[in-house]
Amino acid sequence: MTQHVSASEAAYERRKTVIGVRMTVLYSIVYGGFVVLSVFRPALMGARALFGLNLAVAYGLGLILIAILFALVYNHLCRTPSAGGIPKDTPGT
Amino acid sequence: MAIAVFVVFVALVLAVSTHTSRKARSVGGYFVANSSIHWGVNGIAFAGGYLSVASFLGICGLIAFFGYDGFLYSIGFLAGWIVALFVIAEPMKRMGTFTFSDALNRKFSRPGIQLAAGLSVLVVSLFYLVPQMVGAGVLVEPLLGIPHYWGVIIVGTVVILIVAGGGMTSTTYVQFFNGGLLLTFATILTIAVLARGVHTADLPSEEGTQGLESYRFEETAIDLSGDIPQVALPYARVTGRHAVIDRHTGKESLVFYRVERPYPAVEGVDQTWSAIIMGRTVSFDSPPPDGYPWRFDQPYGRPVVMVNQWWLLDKDRGVLVETQNRTILPDGNSLVNGGPESASNRLRQMGYVSQIPEDYGESTGSVGPVRLLSILSDRSTVVQRPMHTAFTDETGEQITIYYEKPTSGDVFMRPGLMFPLEAREGEPAFTTLLNRLNFISLMLALFFGTSALPHILIRYYTVPSAEAARKSTIVAIAGIGLFYILTMYLGVGALASGAINPETSNMSAPLLARSFGEVLFAMISGIAFTTVLATVSGLIMAASGAVAHDLMGNLMRREFSDRSKVLTGRVVAIVVGVIGIVLGIAFRDMNVSFLVGWAFAVAASANLPSLLFMLFWKKTTAPGIIASILVGIILSVGLILLSPDMWARYGLDPAGAPMPINQPGIVSIPLSFITLVLVSLATQKKRPASA
């Protein structure tokens, strides 16, 4: 068990938290933009956007693909902590 | 064949459960599978437990009926996972051992927190459980041909065996099995939809199917100049009229005419005659029983049965368009399209694409995934969406008319058909505002609800480390994201293939599968059941942990041994399972999808504020957390009970409901946050005078 958390591990956790919060905020803005457009400019959502898709479909599929992309980026960032090693899996209870 | 697949799936599930039950004797084994599940397996199990029948059948059906608005659920259901991954997953794993209330309580060690959190898990689980059980029952009727309550009882019993027997280990493998099946078969079906493409002339669903086939409605000219409208069908006459009045403008928005029309009749046995109506063989009694709306005649020397049907007036073109109807007579018997309902006379499938961009002619042939969506969202594409309207006429007949509404592609593939967001003619500005708030409220609940769902939270404890919790969440996002993209193709595929049962949107995905043959239909039907099993077992597992570990474990901390904790967990699983069965039968008419939306709202209001603030705000106090959870539960559940939808369910006028919108999230989520802040500030150690 991780009773005593080393300084580098604590820093690593803090860094992950900061990255996580920033990415959540960023995604919330993209998601919020989608909701605002849907509510106030629904006709614009029917306009052509990318690859012959309209804005609604392109944005909607984009939100799903961005979520997957963000998840992979986050995992990549978490795998390379700046200080200290990667915390090894601790055995279960 | 569907029954055979179902039996095989259930047998497999029970075999897994029996195999793993040996590991479920210890506390860790029963509640968290000894935290020894591989992150990959856990990730797919996340997907298998999270993707409920509401995601699988509900969203596909909503897309088939309402186009893009159904897909909004897909977007919201997935977006919530971002919160789960970035802020909830790892801290939850680091801070808790069995349940999320462990994590909440880690800083404070106050039994009150665990009681409140355990209570909220129970409430949310039950809210989520009811639609799943109802869904199980709704599925069995058309798929296996057995009554609704048997579906609920079978699912309930199998789930009790899974959870009470094998605990979290068997729940995990059942969810893993289901997640793999869902992803595989949704992909296969999507490839089949893309290979088929879009056809405006022929209807694929007619091929080799035995159930509800699709049908192209007839049209006929109508002359409205005289006192009595004249239709251009031989020997037909107009016998009635029904208009739908727009609530805001007071104008007639839809006009239907009842038309009596002859069909050649052939004499059968026992004073019955049969006629072919809309391609169905319909049997009529001669003479008709009292009050039954058909009669016999020989207008052109041959026996005919004169049948009443409803036609929709297309004012612009001056034509009547044939529709389907179900009529419940005052004696309770049901007529379909003017004749008695029977195994051979059922409603036909509906939906098709009547026009595609000119370059394609009548058929697109096989298309790529982007091309298909681009064709469907084109301005020159016209889709025929199934709609219905219901009314009771002066003789007490309850009539439901099913008609097709032409909708252009650019409207079909953007928000607005289910959630009216634009101001409509004559609509008060306040109504438009409420519609918009309702929509924002739903999107808010979906975004914040996912990470606070109890059957999601317990899965962070089945893996060995925080890193594994993170990785399995990423696998879940990838799997669930892929699945939600596929729902778009399944939904529009069902519409383009004429695979929609106009009476129930939930059948769209299975009927789409059937248009490709019985094997796919049987597989999809079987998977629909494993989906219910997987979600329900996750919920019951969460409820079991909440009662055994949080509620009982805290109330009798001293004398509660590990062994009796596992025993309590098993007993609770059985009790909650039985409650689920009873509620599933009692609420059989409940709409499956909106109840799930409510469960998200309750979860987001009750659990999320305390989770987030405990992690990110140092001034959070135990009373703050307890107050926030309780306020979240009471407000969200209370506002749901006072909402227009519930008012309609009580038999009252929805417009008189104290809460003007259906989705409580926009009120209850912020208030739960505010409560937490205020109570925490009021209960700091250097306590100010206020309470």
Side-chain angles (χ1 to χ4, degrees), chain B residues 657-674:
Chain B
M659 171 74 179
I661 60 176
N662 284 313
Q663 296 294 338
I666 201 165
V667 178
S668 54
I669 297 171
L671 281 177
S672 175
F673 273 111
I674 292 169

mmCIF file of all heavy atoms in Angstrom, chain B residues 657-674:
data_model
loop_
_atom_site.group_PDB
_atom_site.id
_atom_site.type_symbol
_atom_site.label_atom_id
_atom_site.label_comp_id
_atom_site.label_asym_id
_atom_site.label_seq_id
_atom_site.Cartn_x
_atom_site.Cartn_y
_atom_site.Cartn_z
ATOM 1 N N ALA B 657 -48.528 21.742 -14.175
ATOM 2 C CA ALA B 657 -47.495 21.218 -13.282
ATOM 3 C C ALA B 657 -46.702 22.363 -12.661
ATOM 4 O O ALA B 657 -46.391 23.342 -13.330
ATOM 5 C CB ALA B 657 -46.559 20.299 -14.063
ATOM 6 N N PRO B 658 -46.374 22.248 -11.352
ATOM 7 C CA PRO B 658 -45.646 23.324 -10.678
ATOM 8 C C PRO B 658 -44.264 23.567 -11.287
ATOM 9 O O PRO B 658 -43.755 24.672 -11.273
ATOM 10 C CB PRO B 658 -45.508 22.811 -9.240
ATOM 11 C CG PRO B 658 -46.458 21.685 -9.113
ATOM 12 C CD PRO B 658 -46.697 21.134 -10.476
ATOM 13 N N MET B 659 -43.622 22.505 -11.817
ATOM 14 C CA MET B 659 -42.300 22.653 -12.428
ATOM 15 C C MET B 659 -42.534 22.714 -13.935
ATOM 16 O O MET B 659 -43.077 21.776 -14.508
ATOM 17 C CB MET B 659 -41.452 21.434 -12.041
ATOM 18 C CG MET B 659 -40.139 21.322 -12.767
ATOM 19 S SD MET B 659 -38.939 22.500 -12.170
ATOM 20 C CE MET B 659 -37.534 22.081 -13.217
ATOM 21 N N PRO B 660 -42.143 23.805 -14.609
ATOM 22 C CA PRO B 660 -42.529 23.926 -16.020
ATOM 23 C C PRO B 660 -41.711 23.062 -16.983
ATOM 24 O O PRO B 660 -42.139 22.857 -18.108
ATOM 25 C CB PRO B 660 -42.326 25.416 -16.312
ATOM 26 C CG PRO B 660 -41.321 25.874 -15.319
ATOM 27 C CD PRO B 660 -41.494 25.020 -14.110
ATOM 28 N N ILE B 661 -40.532 22.568 -16.585
ATOM 29 C CA ILE B 661 -39.771 21.732 -17.532
ATOM 30 C C ILE B 661 -39.578 20.338 -16.964
ATOM 31 O O ILE B 661 -39.674 20.114 -15.756
ATOM 32 C CB ILE B 661 -38.404 22.356 -17.906
ATOM 33 C CG1 ILE B 661 -37.512 22.546 -16.683
ATOM 34 C CG2 ILE B 661 -38.593 23.674 -18.637
ATOM 35 C CD1 ILE B 661 -36.122 23.068 -17.019
ATOM 36 N N ASN B 662 -39.301 19.385 -17.856
ATOM 37 C CA ASN B 662 -39.202 17.988 -17.439
ATOM 38 C C ASN B 662 -37.855 17.626 -16.846
ATOM 39 O O ASN B 662 -37.756 16.724 -16.035
ATOM 40 C CB ASN B 662 -39.480 17.070 -18.633
ATOM 41 C CG ASN B 662 -40.944 16.997 -18.951
ATOM 42 O OD1 ASN B 662 -41.759 16.815 -18.057
ATOM 43 N ND2 ASN B 662 -41.290 17.155 -20.218
ATOM 44 N N GLN B 663 -36.799 18.288 -17.319
ATOM 45 C CA GLN B 663 -35.460 17.918 -16.884
ATOM 46 C C GLN B 663 -35.039 18.754 -15.684
ATOM 47 O O GLN B 663 -34.922 19.973 -15.792
ATOM 48 C CB GLN B 663 -34.471 18.108 -18.043
ATOM 49 C CG GLN B 663 -34.737 17.198 -19.229
ATOM 50 C CD GLN B 663 -34.521 15.746 -18.904
ATOM 51 O OE1 GLN B 663 -33.801 15.399 -17.951
ATOM 52 N NE2 GLN B 663 -35.128 14.857 -19.666
ATOM 53 N N PRO B 664 -34.798 18.128 -14.519
ATOM 54 C CA PRO B 664 -34.524 18.900 -13.304
ATOM 55 C C PRO B 664 -33.087 19.420 -13.197
ATOM 56 O O PRO B 664 -32.799 20.283 -12.388
ATOM 57 C CB PRO B 664 -34.794 17.882 -12.194
ATOM 58 C CG PRO B 664 -34.470 16.562 -12.810
ATOM 59 C CD PRO B 664 -34.830 16.679 -14.273
ATOM 60 N N GLY B 665 -32.177 18.874 -14.017
ATOM 61 C CA GLY B 665 -30.739 19.115 -13.826
ATOM 62 C C GLY B 665 -30.357 20.576 -13.702
ATOM 63 O O GLY B 665 -29.530 20.943 -12.866
ATOM 64 N N ILE B 666 -30.958 21.425 -14.515
ATOM 65 C CA ILE B 666 -30.513 22.819 -14.546
ATOM 66 C C ILE B 666 -30.799 23.540 -13.237
ATOM 67 O O ILE B 666 -30.156 24.527 -12.898
ATOM 68 C CB ILE B 666 -31.159 23.558 -15.745
ATOM 69 C CG1 ILE B 666 -30.352 24.810 -16.096
ATOM 70 C CG2 ILE B 666 -32.615 23.897 -15.483
ATOM 71 C CD1 ILE B 666 -30.691 25.385 -17.453
ATOM 72 N N VAL B 667 -31.746 23.026 -12.461
ATOM 73 C CA VAL B 667 -32.037 23.606 -11.155
ATOM 74 C C VAL B 667 -31.289 22.849 -10.061
ATOM 75 O O VAL B 667 -30.588 23.426 -9.228
ATOM 76 C CB VAL B 667 -33.558 23.563 -10.855
ATOM 77 C CG1 VAL B 667 -33.849 24.111 -9.474
ATOM 78 C CG2 VAL B 667 -34.331 24.315 -11.931
ATOM 79 N N SER B 668 -31.406 21.502 -10.088
ATOM 80 C CA SER B 668 -30.923 20.727 -8.942
ATOM 81 C C SER B 668 -29.401 20.615 -8.903
ATOM 82 O O SER B 668 -28.823 20.590 -7.817
ATOM 83 C CB SER B 668 -31.558 19.339 -8.951
ATOM 84 O OG SER B 668 -31.338 18.700 -10.182
ATOM 85 N N ILE B 669 -28.730 20.591 -10.053
ATOM 86 C CA ILE B 669 -27.267 20.454 -10.025
ATOM 87 C C ILE B 669 -26.623 21.713 -9.426
ATOM 88 O O ILE B 669 -25.850 21.608 -8.465
ATOM 89 C CB ILE B 669 -26.700 20.125 -11.430
ATOM 90 C CG1 ILE B 669 -27.229 18.777 -11.918
ATOM 91 C CG2 ILE B 669 -25.168 20.085 -11.401
ATOM 92 C CD1 ILE B 669 -26.901 18.448 -13.371
ATOM 93 N N PRO B 670 -26.957 22.924 -9.928
ATOM 94 C CA PRO B 670 -26.347 24.108 -9.311
ATOM 95 C C PRO B 670 -26.711 24.267 -7.831
ATOM 96 O O PRO B 670 -25.858 24.633 -7.025
ATOM 97 C CB PRO B 670 -26.926 25.276 -10.120
ATOM 98 C CG PRO B 670 -27.450 24.691 -11.370
ATOM 99 C CD PRO B 670 -27.782 23.279 -11.089
ATOM 100 N N LEU B 671 -27.973 23.964 -7.466
ATOM 101 C CA LEU B 671 -28.364 24.145 -6.065
ATOM 102 C C LEU B 671 -27.610 23.188 -5.150
ATOM 103 O O LEU B 671 -27.277 23.528 -4.018
ATOM 104 C CB LEU B 671 -29.878 23.972 -5.905
ATOM 105 C CG LEU B 671 -30.703 25.198 -6.328
ATOM 106 C CD1 LEU B 671 -32.188 24.918 -6.197
ATOM 107 C CD2 LEU B 671 -30.327 26.420 -5.487
ATOM 108 N N SER B 672 -27.323 21.984 -5.663
ATOM 109 C CA SER B 672 -26.565 21.042 -4.859
ATOM 110 C C SER B 672 -25.139 21.570 -4.644
ATOM 111 O O SER B 672 -24.582 21.479 -3.544
ATOM 112 C CB SER B 672 -26.559 19.687 -5.557
ATOM 113 O OG SER B 672 -25.755 18.778 -4.869
ATOM 114 N N PHE B 673 -24.559 22.145 -5.695
ATOM 115 C CA PHE B 673 -23.234 22.768 -5.573
ATOM 116 C C PHE B 673 -23.269 23.905 -4.553
ATOM 117 O O PHE B 673 -22.413 24.000 -3.672
ATOM 118 C CB PHE B 673 -22.790 23.340 -6.938
ATOM 119 C CG PHE B 673 -22.075 22.345 -7.809
ATOM 120 C CD1 PHE B 673 -22.657 21.868 -8.963
ATOM 121 C CD2 PHE B 673 -20.790 21.907 -7.481
ATOM 122 C CE1 PHE B 673 -21.993 20.949 -9.777
ATOM 123 C CE2 PHE B 673 -20.119 21.002 -8.284
ATOM 124 C CZ PHE B 673 -20.724 20.523 -9.438
ATOM 125 N N ILE B 674 -24.290 24.775 -4.678
ATOM 126 C CA ILE B 674 -24.377 25.941 -3.799
ATOM 127 C C ILE B 674 -24.538 25.513 -2.345
ATOM 128 O O ILE B 674 -23.897 26.041 -1.435
ATOM 129 C CB ILE B 674 -25.556 26.856 -4.231
ATOM 130 C CG1 ILE B 674 -25.233 27.480 -5.596
ATOM 131 C CG2 ILE B 674 -25.837 27.939 -3.212
ATOM 132 C CD1 ILE B 674 -26.401 28.189 -6.252
#
